[in-house]
Amino acid sequence: MDKFINNRWVMKIIALLLAFMLYMSVSIENSVTQQTESKPSPFSGSTDVQTVTDVPVESLYDRENLVVSGVPQSVTVTLEGPTASVKPTALQKDFEIIADLSNLGIGTHQVTLESRNLSERLSVAIEPSVASVTIHERISEDFPVDVDFINRGQMEEGYQAEQPIVKPNIVKVTGSRELIESIALVKARVDLKGVNESIEQQSRVTVYDREGNTLNVEIDPPVVDVNVPITSPFKSVPLKINRKGSLKEDLSITKIEAEPNEVTVYGPKSAIDKLEFIDNIELDLTEITESTTIEVDVPVPDGVKRVVPEKVKINVEVEKEEQKTFTNVPIQQIGLSEGLELEFIDPENGLMDLTVLGAPSTLEGVNSSDMEMYINVTDLNAGEHEAPLEINGPQNVSWDLPKRNVKFRLIEETNE
């Protein structure tokens, strides 16, 4: 074996074979490289596929004179190409999908959707790629806006919705001739559930056909201002004027009268049902020196929302005071228990003079029968007692007595 390896010719033949093998290897590699360079590739580097959803579709047509339907609002776009181009395009969505209708007439057409602003290095697939589009004549008409009350039966008890005010009360509706001719109602809705006061709100305008279906049309303006006056339960109640203090000694009242003498109260039914009159209006007599008219605020009772009118006038008429004396007016008694008799001690005869003070015009119509003079003996037992005199008489008069108390005796009745 050593002799074979050490043989010079053998070594030359081996070296020649190795050189030939090296030459063939380099030659084959160059050939493959040349073939690869001579055959172009559609994409350089790595490739990618991205799907973009909800891409809006832009329609191109004469918007002043035409209306279209059938164009999808959005489509799905699939992009394929070099990663360096696909990913930024999918993220930025800086391309458009177009439905070009500019050269089409009125009627229905099959329209192929197109892409714009996309690199030529990208391939694109649109889904859907074709739309059935109908082109209509565009017209506009004015329609009045009605208000549709919902939940009217769920207002607070006793409250009522009055005629609403809509601003503007007429809107311009634009659409295809077919849609405009099918319009039956144009309404703004107001929810009255739980309402107990006037409403001011903005309401969206909706257009309906004769079957009550909502129509897809343009409305200008799409929102209107609605004012709904709400009236609460109410009733009229009289005024009671409370006198405070006293007039000067030489004056007497002939008339105190409120103008008007009734007011209207508004509020929850539970509050006004139990209200019989308004009595916390005070008239300070110490400030009255002559006949006069005073304007006063009408107080709003608890639970009541408002009072109409808010102010009333009080007419006060006074005259110089005079007096009139009635003699031997009998003293009555109330509350005498069964089985007892009353015997006067002082005054012994149970009679007393009574002086009435007032304006001449008032005193003129007053007589002794108009004056009630009595003592209250309720719950008193047999024996001697003393009780204050009480007097009822016409309004706007006062009185004077020779004495204020009466002495009397209660005696048990005897059965003979």
Side-chain angles (χ1 to χ4, degrees), residues 243 246-254 285-292 316-323 357-360 362 396-398:
R243 305 179 189 191
S246 302
L247 289 173
K248 293 172 60 177
E249 289 186 3
D250 61 340
L251 292 178
S252 180
I253 292 173
T254 60
L285 298 181
T286 61
E287 298 180 358
I288 305 297
T289 59
E290 60 183 354
S291 296
T292 186
V316 183
E317 294 182 7
V318 297
E319 293 181 8
K320 291 291 184 179
E321 187 176 70
E322 293 184 0
Q323 64 183 33
L357 299 90
T362 302
N396 299 328
V397 299
S398 59

Side-chain angles (χ1 to χ4, degrees), residues 149-371:
F149 291 137
I150 59 175
N151 295 320
R152 191 167 192 160
Q154 298 185 41
M155 297 178 66
E156 283 198 20
E157 184 182 3
Y159 288 84
Q160 296 290 330
E162 301 298 324
Q163 180 67 33
I165 301 169
V166 182
K167 295 182 180 180
N169 61 348
I170 293 178
V171 295
K172 185 182 293 294
V173 182
T174 302
S176 68
R177 180 175 295 278
E178 293 83 351
L179 285 179
I180 298 300
E181 290 177 350
S182 70
I183 292 175
L185 297 170
V186 178
K187 286 185 173 288
R189 304 181 77 186
V190 175
D191 190 351
L192 297 180
K193 184 176 182 179
V195 167
N196 61 5
E197 60 184 10
S198 295
I199 299 172
E200 291 184 12
Q201 70 174 51
Q202 291 187 322
S203 297
R204 186 170 63 88
V205 179
T206 306
V207 178
Y208 301 92
D209 64 13
R210 295 172 184 82
E211 283 73 42
N213 301 311
T214 303
L215 298 180
N216 184 20
V217 290
E218 297 177 23
I219 307 168
D220 183 29
V223 175
V224 293
D225 295 320
V226 181
N227 186 325
V228 184
I230 303 296
T231 59
S232 66
F234 64 92
K235 76 174 183 180
S236 295
V237 294
L239 299 174
K240 181 181 177 184
I241 300 171
N242 297 320
R243 305 179 189 191
K244 183 176 72 172
S246 302
L247 289 173
K248 293 172 60 177
E249 289 186 3
D250 61 340
L251 292 178
S252 180
I253 292 173
T254 60
K255 183 172 70 173
I256 296 179
E257 184 178 62
E259 183 184 342
N261 60 4
E262 284 189 339
V263 295
T264 303
V265 292
Y266 295 83
K269 195 170 183 299
S270 58
I272 67 172
D273 277 353
K274 59 187 179 183
L275 191 65
E276 298 299 330
F277 52 83
I278 294 179
D279 67 346
N280 46 352
I281 298 177
E282 286 193 344
L283 176 65
D284 189 352
L285 298 181
T286 61
E287 298 180 358
I288 305 297
T289 59
E290 60 183 354
S291 296
T292 186
T293 298
I294 303 170
E295 188 175 62
V296 298
D297 294 324
V298 179
V300 179
D302 291 341
V304 172
K305 285 186 176 285
R306 62 190 179 106
V307 175
V308 177
E310 297 177 351
K311 295 178 180 290
V312 296
K313 293 179 178 179
I314 300 178
N315 299 318
V316 183
E317 294 182 7
V318 297
E319 293 181 8
K320 291 291 184 179
E321 187 176 70
E322 293 184 0
Q323 64 183 33
K324 187 175 185 179
T325 300
F326 300 108
T327 58
N328 296 325
V329 178
I331 301 171
Q332 309 294 327
Q333 81 276 338
I334 61 172
L336 184 63
S337 300
E338 187 177 354
L340 293 177
E341 293 181 352
L342 185 144
E343 182 182 279
F344 286 101
I345 300 174
D346 183 21
E348 186 177 356
N349 56 2
L351 302 174
M352 188 176 291
D353 293 344
L354 174 64
T355 300
V356 180
L357 299 90
S361 58
T362 302
L363 293 179
E364 185 178 349
V366 178
N367 54 55
S368 60
S369 62
D370 297 322
M371 307 302 297

